[in-house]
Amino acid sequence: MKKIILPNIYYSNGLLIGNNVEKVVRKIKDLNGLFDDEASLNKIDPDTIVYEVSSHLEEKEGREGGLFFGITYLYPGKVGNEYFMTKGHYHAKIDRTEYYWGIEGEGVLILMDEDRNVCGEKIFPGSLHYIKSGIAHRVANTGTQILSFGACWPSDAGHCYDTIAKNGFSARLREINGTAVLEDSKKLLYV
Ligand code: M6P
Ligand code: ZN
């Protein structure tokens, strides 16, 4: 008779709990250069949490063939008229892909190819997003509650933040006349 065992990882009541779960907290003060309205930024408590990520990292980072799994909790808020958002990244191995899916709240997944063409996909509970190779990805919360979304990506994908830190996305998601609008970025460099 074979033994049937319990899993050692749970996604329950909106929380990822178990072995090899790591949590990252990103506060306003950790996100230098991300938002462009400096006057509004200076009015926000630097310890304000913008997002948290709980990740199940069972594999060694960089191992080919494995998967990572994460839940991101992106808080509602704005800096000026720009919505709270994740840093956004390309994958260090540029051809690696990823799934995102909406769990609660609402927002926009902002996608940019290597020629800096940008588009946005709405995220909502049940939405599913396949992020193809060579596409930078970032999420903004357009709602009034936490936006949580799941992610699953290859353990050898890695994160490349440098290109985004240097050049940003070519569009920013702003609230204009009560509506979320992807507006062309005015400045290219925002480091
Ligand atoms: C998702 C995944 C993670 C990523 C996180 C936050 O959970 O894509 O790999 O780290 O979102 O996004 P970022 O790294 O761009 O801040
Ligand atoms: Zn990714």
Side-chain angles (χ1 to χ4, degrees):
M1 203 96 81
K2 303 278 186 200
K3 214 168 151 191
I4 297 175
I5 60 163
L6 287 169
N8 59 19
I9 177 91
Y10 297 84
Y11 178 59
S12 174
N13 290 329
L15 294 175
L16 195 55
I17 300 156
N19 296 350
N20 300 312
V21 172
E22 288 179 18
K23 189 173 161 184
V24 173
V25 179
R26 304 260 188 235
K27 299 181 176 181
I28 283 282
K29 67 182 180 194
D30 306 319
L31 299 170
N32 266 344
L34 186 61
F35 300 99
D36 74 342
D37 182 344
E38 282 185 21
S40 299
L41 191 61
N42 291 335
K43 289 183 197 148
I44 300 176
D45 179 349
D47 280 314
T48 303
I49 295 174
V50 178
Y51 61 102
E52 300 174 53
V53 187
S54 286
S55 303
H56 179 233
L57 306 172
E58 184 80 31
E59 303 283 359
K60 195 168 179 291
E61 171 98 47
R63 178 190 171 299
E64 200 176 325
L67 292 172
F68 289 146
F69 178 94
I71 308 288
T72 301
Y73 307 86
L74 178 56
Y75 286 74
K78 277 179 291 183
V79 177
N81 65 4
E82 189 171 19
Y83 296 101
F84 276 12
M85 59 181 165
T86 60
K87 285 165 50 164
H89 58 271
Y90 286 101
H91 288 149
K93 277 197 180 160
I94 196 73
D95 66 345
R96 295 306 194 251
T97 56
E98 183 165 6
Y99 274 113
Y100 275 11
W101 60 97
I103 297 170
E104 64 173 344
E106 57 187 70
V108 175
L109 168 60
I110 305 162
L111 302 162
M112 180 173 74
D113 68 19
E114 290 181 277
D115 295 325
R116 300 184 57 76
N117 299 304
V118 164
C119 68
E121 288 181 11
K122 283 199 175 189
I123 301 190
F124 50 87
S127 66
L128 182 64
H129 312 269
Y130 181 59
I131 301 164
K132 294 185 180 173
S133 49
I135 304 290
H137 36 293
R138 155 182 289 170
V139 172
N141 185 343
T142 56
T144 53
Q145 64 175 105
I146 287 182
L147 166 63
S148 72
F149 63 92
C152 186
W153 67 101
S155 49
D156 66 345
H159 296 79
C160 171
Y161 295 106
D162 292 356
T163 313
I164 302 301
K166 191 168 166 218
N167 297 328
F169 275 58
S170 59
R172 290 176 176 275
L173 195 72
R174 301 186 189 281
E175 185 184 74
I176 298 174
N177 297 327
T179 309
V181 175
L182 260 181
E183 189 190 67
D184 287 345
S185 288
K186 295 201 177 55
K187 53 180 179 178
L188 189 63
L189 298 177
Y190 68 94
V191 188

